[in-house]
Amino acid sequence: MSSQSAPLAVICAMPEEKAALRELMTDLETRRFLGRDVTLGRLEDHDVVVAESGIGKVAAAVTATLLSREFGCRGLVVSGVAGGLDPELHIGDTVIAHSLVQHDYGQLQDSGLKSFRPGVPPLGPDRQDIVFSVAPDLVERLQAIAADIDLPDLPAGLLPQSAPKAWRRRRVVMGRVLSGDQFINSDIERRRLHRDFAAHAVEMEGAAVAQAGALLGLPVVVVRCLSDLAGVDSHLDFPRFVAAVAPGAALVLRRIVREL
Ligand code: ADE
C-alpha cells in the first residue's frame, strides 16, 4: 500500500499542459528522468511529481508506470486537454472521467471495430468489459467538486464575435473519456464515438493510464478541458485554444488532489 505522504504522479502529454500545472505549484525541483525534465513540488500542500509524457497511449502508460515505481506514487493523474464529443459541451468546458475506454482497441471486422478489453486475451468472459471505471466513492467526491467549482472565462478575444454569452460559462462535468492513438478531426467519427461509447470527450492517453493504474493497484483521475470539438475544425481549434484551456484542467486538479 502507498502511504498518504507518497506523491501523486501527474502525466501531461504536452508542454502547455505541464506549464499550466507548474504555475499552480510551489517548492519546484526539476530532475532529469526518462530523458525529460520531471517536476517535483507541492500542489495545495500535496506532493506531486509531474512529467511530460509525450503524446499517445504507450508514452503515457510507460511514463505513469515508471513514475509510480521511481517515486512510490499513491495515485495517477492525467491533466490536460481533449476534444469534446458530447454536443452539449463547448470549448473550455472540463470533463472529469468517471470511466475510460480505449476506443481504438479491438478486432477489426468488415462491419468495423469490435472493442475488446485491453490486455485481456480476445477469448473468455472478460473480453467485452471494455470500460475502466473510477471507484464509485471517488466518483461521488469528484462529482461534488465538479458541481461546486467555477472556472474563469476564456479570454474574450479568443471567442468568435458571434458566440452567445452563455457559451463562455464554463461547465465542469463528470463523463466518459475515450483514448486512442488518433487525433480526431472528423464530424463523422466524433458522432460515431459519441454514439457507440456514450462518451463525452476524446484524447490520446487517459485510458492507457487507467490500464496501468489497474495493474499497479493505483487510483486514476483524468481531468480534461476541451480544446476543440473533434470535428472538421479540430485541427484549427486545437492550436488556437490549447494554451488557453490547459489552465482549466490544472485549476480543477488543484481542487481534486486532496481527494486522492
Ligand atoms: N486532444 C485534444 N483534442 C483532441 C482530438 N480532437 N482528438 C484526440 N485527442 C485530442
Side-chain angles (χ1 to χ4, degrees):
M1 278 289 280
S2 323
S3 82
Q4 248 329 91
S5 60
L8 288 171
V10 185
I11 294 101
C12 300
M14 297 183 60
E16 293 87 342
E17 298 167 332
K18 187 178 170 200
L21 204 55
R22 278 181 61 108
E23 289 289 314
L24 304 180
M25 290 168 59
T26 59
D27 306 302
L28 299 183
E29 180 195 330
T30 301
R31 282 197 210 159
R32 204 71 188 151
F33 182 62
L34 305 174
R36 291 165 195 262
D37 289 342
V38 171
T39 304
L40 289 72
R42 314 258 305 154
L43 182 65
E44 283 289 285
D45 279 342
H46 291 263
D47 288 329
V48 294
V49 182
V50 187
E52 181 196 324
S53 63
I55 292 170
K57 301 205 306 289
V58 172
V62 167
T63 304
T65 306
L66 290 176
L67 284 181
S68 81
R69 303 309 274 186
E70 180 75 12
F71 297 97
C73 297
R74 71 171 195 277
L76 304 172
V77 178
V78 181
S79 175
V81 305
L85 296 175
D86 180 347
E88 297 284 304
L89 297 176
H90 297 297
I91 290 170
D93 290 344
T94 299
V95 179
I96 307 172
H98 58 50
S99 54
L100 297 116
V101 173
Q102 294 179 24
H103 69 81
D104 59 351
Y105 189 96
Q107 178 180 3
L108 202 49
Q109 302 178 335
D110 283 349
S111 53
L113 187 70
K114 182 169 169 45
S115 295
F116 285 136
R117 185 172 187 83
V120 171
L123 295 169
D126 291 338
R127 64 181 185 162
Q128 265 141 19
D129 182 14
I130 62 170
V131 179
F132 293 96
S133 297
V134 177
D137 62 316
L138 181 54
V139 169
E140 206 173 300
R141 285 178 279 137
L142 295 173
Q143 174 72 66
I145 291 171
D148 184 51
I149 196 166
D150 270 327
L151 291 179
D153 290 348
L154 289 179
L158 265 183
L159 300 175
Q161 287 299 323
S162 56
K165 192 120 185 67
W167 200 76
R168 289 185 210 164
R169 220 171 302 122
R170 300 173 68 187
R171 299 175 62 195
V172 181
V173 300
M174 300 294 296
R176 174 161 300 166
V177 172
L178 304 183
S179 309
D181 288 315
Q182 303 159 344
F183 182 83
I184 308 300
N185 188 195
S186 152
D187 283 344
I188 292 170
E189 190 60 7
R190 86 179 288 271
R191 277 197 296 272
R192 185 189 74 78
L193 291 173
H194 176 58
R195 184 194 62 228
D196 288 1
F197 295 99
H200 299 80
V202 62
E203 35 84 310
M204 301 176 69
E205 295 84 19
V209 175
Q211 184 180 355
L215 289 167
L216 295 163
L218 294 175
V220 174
V221 169
V222 176
V223 184
R224 293 296 196 178
C225 195
L226 304 185
S227 54
D228 59 83
L229 300 178
V232 286
D233 291 332
S234 67
H235 65 304
L236 302 173
D237 288 336
F238 177 82
R240 182 169 151 93
F241 288 100
V242 61
V245 304
L251 286 168
V252 174
L253 178 55
R254 187 169 63 173
R255 281 287 296 277
I256 285 175
V257 281
R258 68 179 86 117
E259 302 297 337
L260 273 168

